[in-house]
Amino acid sequence: MSILEALFTSPVGKLVAAKAGLAEPPVLRRGRLLPTGAVALASLPGGGIAADVLDALGIDTIDPLLDVAENRTPDDKGRPQPPRYEARPGALVIDATGVRTIAELELIRQVLRPVMKGLEKSGRVIFLATEADAVEGLEAKAVAQSIDGIMRTVGKELRGGATANLVLLAPGVGVEDLTSTLSFLLEGRSAFVSGQVWRVAPRKAGDAVGADHDADRPFADRVVVVTGAARGIGAAIARTFHRDGAKIVAVDVPAAGDALAGVANALRGSALQLDITAPDAGARIAAHVAQVHGPDAKIFAIIHNAGITRDKMLANLDDKLWASVLEVNLAAEMRINEVLLDPTLPGGLAENARIVGIASTSGWAGNKGQTNYAASKAGVMGLVRAESVELADRPITTNAVAPGFIETEMTGAIPFVQREVFRRTNSLGQGGAPVDVAETIGYLCDPASGGVDGQVIRVCGQNLIGR
């Protein structure tokens, strides 16, 4: 710890920081924990699916349209009191799937106003809306985008570790398509996901959730491959999938062999020392799965976590540094997928498999000195979107997460002041944890998440740079 960091974290330093508007960030609710307070459900005109989803999840709700009094009795000085809920809610779900007019946006304001200061810590505001392409008329399409703007602003105004997110529904979405998404957003698993928008569509044919599906252990007896698993985010991904029942295949370069073995042994999985840029990397992963788990075994999910940085200003960036980053972060993933997607390959991807790539907010918004890295991570976003189209006739989903500033051993080496800036340039005022990335990936890979395909979800606490 540097002298500056020690001073900043001392009692006097914390007091000075708080006076300067740099108060200690809130402790986030993590894991498979629902809010403590009640879930308020605002089913606006034309809505209704949220009530059915929450009922399917066994979550009781209160109706904010009944429990909020807009015109309360004036206080002792004759001033109108602000609206409030009778009890502090833990979450507000706004079903705006039927909202089509500017006038109806007033209902959103009414139910939101009391929670902006009345939501419990680590609370949730979740919007459900119909995607603009699925509504008719100029006003309806404009209003669909208005809801997006409301959600992003709400995420920046909430305090105490509370988050706001928007889920857009494609035509034909049913209750079974939404349960995993609403569960994820209400629980602590979504702690560092805020200000984000993604789309849920009907699950593909052949991707039904089995009757034996266990929401707490969705990967029971399923093989999950994690690259770059020896440490940091990769190790957290492996641990999270193991917690949820998976058989882990941990992959990393030979130089990380000892750490890799430690992760694999702790999770009762297997380790594969492999340079993913090798031409036969995909074939070697499949061969390992078939050897360890049997010739009929298939990979249910592969998480392409392995990645490198070689940062230089573009004026100083040579062809070797450029190529190495694009090779590891993007090209290798493409080659491995191509091999594992062969349905006849022993140890390849299952017919209802999940593929997840790791993008980055640097790929979303760019970052000084990271042209090569930004290119590779933006490429991952383009790859999963394109693969979802190519695989439209197969019940396989491809998605990506885009982490922001996540606290790891690598980020611990960043100079203190610069690190504090990175930590605090998001709506939650702190860096994320590796488990936040892992939990989001687990949600995307859940057998019940088949309606989420070709999506990129930022795990960045609503980073203030870029959208």
Side-chain angles (χ1 to χ4, degrees), residues 9-61:
T9 56
S10 69
V12 174
K14 289 181 179 180
L15 178 62
V16 173
K19 294 288 186 181
L22 298 174
E24 282 288 293
V27 176
L28 304 182
R29 169 171 54 91
R30 290 187 164 95
R32 292 184 175 276
L33 297 175
L34 287 168
T36 302
V39 174
L41 171 62
S43 288
L44 304 186
I49 190 169
D52 294 335
V53 175
L54 290 167
D55 184 62
L57 291 171
I59 297 175
D60 295 328
T61 62

Side-chain angles (χ1 to χ4, degrees), residues 184-202:
F184 168 73
L185 287 173
L186 285 169
E187 291 181 359
R189 292 182 292 152
S190 61
F192 207 59
V193 178
S194 188
Q196 303 309 303
V197 181
W198 64 93
R199 176 180 186 267
V200 176

Side-chain angles (χ1 to χ4, degrees), residues 170-188:
V173 166
V175 170
E176 67 283 358
D177 301 313
L178 268 177
T179 52
S180 70
T181 297
L182 207 52
S183 177
F184 168 73
L185 287 173
L186 285 169
E187 291 181 359

